[in-house]
Amino acid sequence: VNTCEGLIVTEMVFAGILNELEPAEIVATLSALIFQEKTDEGMDSELPERLVTVCERMREIARHLGQEQKNHGLPVDPLEYSATSLKLGLVHVVFEWACGVPFSSICELTDVQEGSIVRCITRLDELCREVRNCARVVGNPTLYRKMEAASEAIKRDIVFASSLYVS
């Protein structure tokens, strides 16, 4: 996994966290690893309870990994590692996008610029392919199929238009 913090993704795959989720929930969860910008937004109050729970589990994994790195002599602060590895600013936006909500509507859910949303979603598709390949390698056909469905859920409309000027 080269798109984001590979340790966290690997732990999530081996812990089976993604297996329990629907494709839209998977991409929303993974967006926390892709999105890089600082925002004032924490977790959205309108986020489904399952997503809130999964985001908390991701934070626990990140803190644990930070602590393990610190225990092995690396100059890592577990809380800082968690905070810099996970940015939850677009979790709700990506969830709604994967559920089929129009781009103009998801833009109203956040103060993040449209270009940053598009960049996050296109990078998210790359991460979906990487996790799908991981699932194939570790022999998890269920996750493989879910990652294909997750990728398809976000590949639509203006975000994946080859050009805004030529149709």
Side-chain angles (χ1 to χ4, degrees):
V1 177
N2 299 315
T3 310
C4 64
E5 184 57 59
L7 286 174
I8 297 173
V9 174
T10 303
E11 288 293 319
M12 291 174 68
V13 168
F14 282 114
I17 292 171
L18 301 176
N19 295 348
E20 305 163 6
L21 303 174
E22 294 302 315
E25 295 169 328
I26 291 172
V27 288
T29 301
L30 293 177
S31 73
L33 293 160
I34 295 291
F35 185 57
Q36 298 293 311
E37 297 178 24
K38 279 189 170 185
T39 61
D40 295 335
E41 301 171 31
M43 268 198 271
D44 197 319
S45 60
E46 295 179 27
L47 212 53
E49 188 59 38
R50 275 175 36 133
L51 271 180
V52 172
T53 303
V54 171
C55 288
E56 287 302 322
R57 286 175 71 188
M58 277 182 23
R59 278 191 178 138
E60 290 170 17
I61 288 170
R63 282 191 294 266
H64 173 72
L65 288 170
Q67 187 61 50
E68 286 297 315
Q69 291 176 65
K70 184 177 181 179
N71 292 348
H72 287 86
L74 294 173
V76 176
D77 175 35
L79 294 177
E80 186 178 323
Y81 177 77
S82 174
T84 57
S85 298
L86 302 173
K87 306 276 191 216
L88 304 173
L90 289 183
V91 171
H92 186 213
V93 170
V94 171
F95 177 72
E96 294 295 337
W97 176 253
C99 289
V101 174
F103 191 76
S104 58
S105 298
I106 66 164
C107 288
E108 294 172 7
L109 298 173
T110 183
D111 294 333
V112 176
Q113 292 185 350
E114 293 85 351
S116 296
I117 296 171
V118 169
R119 186 170 41 258
C120 177
I121 293 173
T122 54
R123 288 188 62 216
L124 197 50
D125 182 54
E126 186 178 334
L127 179 57
C128 286
R129 285 194 305 270
E130 290 176 349
V131 174
R132 185 194 69 202
N133 291 337
C134 290
R136 181 180 47 80
V137 169
V138 299
N140 187 339
T142 304
L143 182 58
Y144 183 91
R145 286 189 296 275
K146 284 188 176 191
M147 293 313 300
E148 283 185 326
S151 180
E152 290 302 313
I154 60 173
K155 278 183 158 174
R156 61 184 180 84
D157 295 343
I158 195 168
V159 173
F160 283 88
S162 56
S163 171
L164 298 179
Y165 305 107
V166 181
S167 59

